Amino acid sequence: GTAAECHSRRSLPAISTCLPSVTSPFPMSAPPSEQMKASGTRSRQKVPLGAGRSQLDWIRLANAAPRRQFAGAVSATELRAHATREDCWMAVRGVVYDFTKYVEYHPGGEVIMEAAGMDGTELFDEYHSWVNVEGFLKNFVVGFYD
């Protein structure tokens, strides 16, 4: 109905009768997991995480963490020296992050260790191209990957 009709009725009309018809210029995209299936890439496998290990829990912890001291340039040799669950660095898009605390919050579980101590950009982008790594690890920047 028209706006006048919508406002003149005593009872509330169905919302669809008062809203103009709008077609979005942006197509709805499939969720990332469906996009991966369609593109032929490996599918993600989520694992059950312990209590207090949700992504929201991680965000709270990460935002409260003090910023690491910036080390400047990090060589491939130095990066490889940090490839354990207890000391896990990874380069993503030219920046080295300390993923150590994040490993236990990773929804895919230990698979994150496949890129420990190395440039994990390709693997990261294969599964998480939409993720703002700079945002969720901003306090864990070690330096630039040299």
Side-chain angles (χ1 to χ4, degrees):
T2 67
E5 290 171 332
C6 288
H7 292 292
S8 67
R9 295 182 186 152
R10 289 199 175 273
S11 63
L12 291 176
I15 190 90
S16 62
T17 63
C18 296
L19 296 176
S21 175
V22 177
T23 304
S24 172
F26 305 105
M28 295 292 288
S29 62
S33 58
E34 294 302 316
Q35 291 173 13
M36 282 188 283
K37 287 178 191 172
S39 70
T41 59
R42 295 187 290 177
S43 65
R44 299 181 309 159
Q45 297 294 321
K46 292 190 176 184
V47 299
L49 300 174
R53 295 297 182 261
S54 72
Q55 290 303 290
L56 186 55
D57 293 318
W58 168 253
I59 291 167
R60 287 185 191 123
L61 175 82
N63 287 337
R67 285 191 186 260
R68 273 188 70 94
Q69 183 166 349
F70 190 73
V74 177
S75 69
T77 302
E78 175 68 12
L79 185 58
R80 280 192 299 272
H82 301 274
T84 66
R85 194 179 190 296
E86 295 76 29
D87 184 21
C88 179
W89 291 7
M90 184 187 314
V92 178
R93 302 178 191 144
V95 179
V96 176
Y97 297 94
D98 184 345
F99 275 79
T100 306
K101 291 184 178 178
Y102 182 70
V103 171
E104 63 187 280
Y105 291 84
H106 185 248
E110 293 289 322
V111 71
I112 193 171
M113 296 306 296
E114 289 180 20
M118 59 194 316
D119 185 347
T121 302
E122 188 175 322
L123 190 60
F124 185 90
D125 285 344
E126 181 179 348
Y127 293 99
H128 307 298
S129 60
W130 66 92
V131 173
N132 178 355
V133 68
E134 298 88 0
F136 87 90
L137 286 170
K138 67 183 176 207
N139 291 336
F140 300 91
V141 173
V142 175
F144 294 114
Y145 187 51
D146 189 20

